[in-house]
Amino acid sequence: MQLTRGYSGHQQALIELFAKTFEASEGQEEGARIGDLVHHLLLETPPEDIRVYCAENENCVIGAAIFTRLTYAFDPHIVFLLSPMAVSPENQKMGIGQALLTHALGALRAEGVQIAITYGDPSYYKQVGFMPITEDQARPPQPLSMPHGWIGQALSEDKMPQLQGPSSCVPALNRSDIW
């Protein structure tokens, strides 16, 4: 397995990976919704606001994590939001997701990103350092349907700060149906 950064030449493979993975776990409608989300993230997000990390096996994308900039109006911290992430159904439960996230978080840390936030299963993401955060600590860009899934981590020696002001995400994620 090879861990890579970027998505040039992999756009369609990424869309299909996310659609297939979410369809297998959440149903056809959710698979289509997440596939569409990934399409828009890759097509519309400026390069400085997106980081895509892939797990590949024999030049086939088997996992991916997409991070996009999350801006807080009155806060200087550099924050990126992990959303979405997927490992193909036939490659799950092998440690690929954990390896991919460990690699991605290390790369973000190395480039100066200070905080990573995601909205997902706390028991899964705690394995790579994400901890529950409150909406007061870091306001989400949309109302959360499952506030217990709002989790984050500082990528430095510091503890997770209280981020100041309302947040804004990239346009492709600014949809209430995914929050």
Side-chain angles (χ1 to χ4, degrees), residues 23-153:
E23 180 177 329
S25 66
E26 309 279 333
Q28 188 172 10
E29 185 177 317
E30 187 68 3
R33 181 185 355 259
I34 301 302
D36 180 65
L37 168 65
V38 170
H39 168 80
H40 287 285
L41 281 169
L42 300 178
L43 183 68
E44 300 167 2
T45 307
E48 64 271 13
D49 292 337
I50 189 169
R51 307 291 184 276
V52 179
Y53 299 92
C54 297
E56 298 180 45
N57 191 11
E58 298 177 9
N59 293 321
C60 180
V61 178
I62 59 171
I66 300 176
F67 289 83
T68 53
R69 192 174 305 275
L70 184 61
T71 305
Y72 283 83
F74 308 118
D75 201 288
H77 288 95
I78 301 168
V79 183
F80 271 73
L81 175 69
L82 167 61
S83 180
M85 178 183 167
V87 174
S88 64
E90 60 274 10
N91 289 289
Q92 293 180 3
K93 310 277 189 225
M94 299 176 172
I96 294 168
Q98 299 300 317
L100 178 60
L101 284 174
T102 299
H103 171 77
L105 292 167
L108 290 170
R109 183 178 294 112
E111 78 168 78
V113 174
Q114 298 163 303
I115 298 164
I117 295 177
T118 193
Y119 184 43
D121 178 3
S123 63
Y124 178 79
Y125 290 102
K126 77 177 180 183
Q127 298 174 55
V128 291
F130 285 93
M131 300 300 290
I133 57 176
T134 66
E135 293 180 57
D136 288 335
Q137 190 174 10
R139 284 190 225 163
Q142 291 278 336
L144 302 175
S145 59
M146 299 183 315
H148 71 278
W150 192 233
I151 52 182
Q153 67 174 289

